[in-house]
Amino acid sequence: KIVTPENFVSSINKANQLFAAEMISEAEFQAKKQTIISDLQFNKFVGDLDELLLALAPLKKSETITDDELQAIKKRVPN
């Protein structure tokens, strides 16, 4: 599977929207985020880290992703 900054951020946004709409629990939301992040190492990332970080900035600012999650993402994306 090919992962772009746009579809990676979109996946996290979808999970966040489901959580915000109370369609999934916080535990389910956290599990979805972890799966999305973990899957980075098994898929081909197309784009660069800076592009991804810029796309993630609003999620970081809104605290949708944590510092630890951001570090995990950085580890899984080639520079």
Side-chain angles (χ1 to χ4, degrees), residues 50-69:
D50 289 344
E51 185 180 358
L52 178 60
L53 293 176
L54 284 171
L56 288 170
L59 296 177
K60 176 69 176 88
K61 189 171 183 172
S62 68
E63 299 181 354
T64 301
I65 58 170
T66 66
D67 288 333
D68 289 341
E69 290 165 338

Side-chain angles (χ1 to χ4, degrees), residues 9 17 21-22 24 32 37 41 43 46 50 54 61 64 72:
V9 171
Q17 289 171 350
E22 299 180 357
I24 60 173
K32 283 183 180 293
I37 293 168
Q41 66 190 352
N43 297 303
V46 177
D50 289 344
L54 284 171
K61 189 171 183 172
T64 301

Side-chain angles (χ1 to χ4, degrees), residues 34 37 40 67-77:
Q34 290 309 310
I37 293 168
L40 275 175
D67 288 333
D68 289 341
E69 290 165 338
L70 185 58
Q71 292 307 314
I73 292 165
K74 287 181 178 180
K75 287 181 186 177
R76 288 173 172 81
V77 174

Side-chain angles (χ1 to χ4, degrees), residues 21-32:
E22 299 180 357
M23 301 302 290
I24 60 173
S25 68
E26 183 172 357
E28 290 170 311
F29 172 57
Q30 296 300 330
K32 283 183 180 293

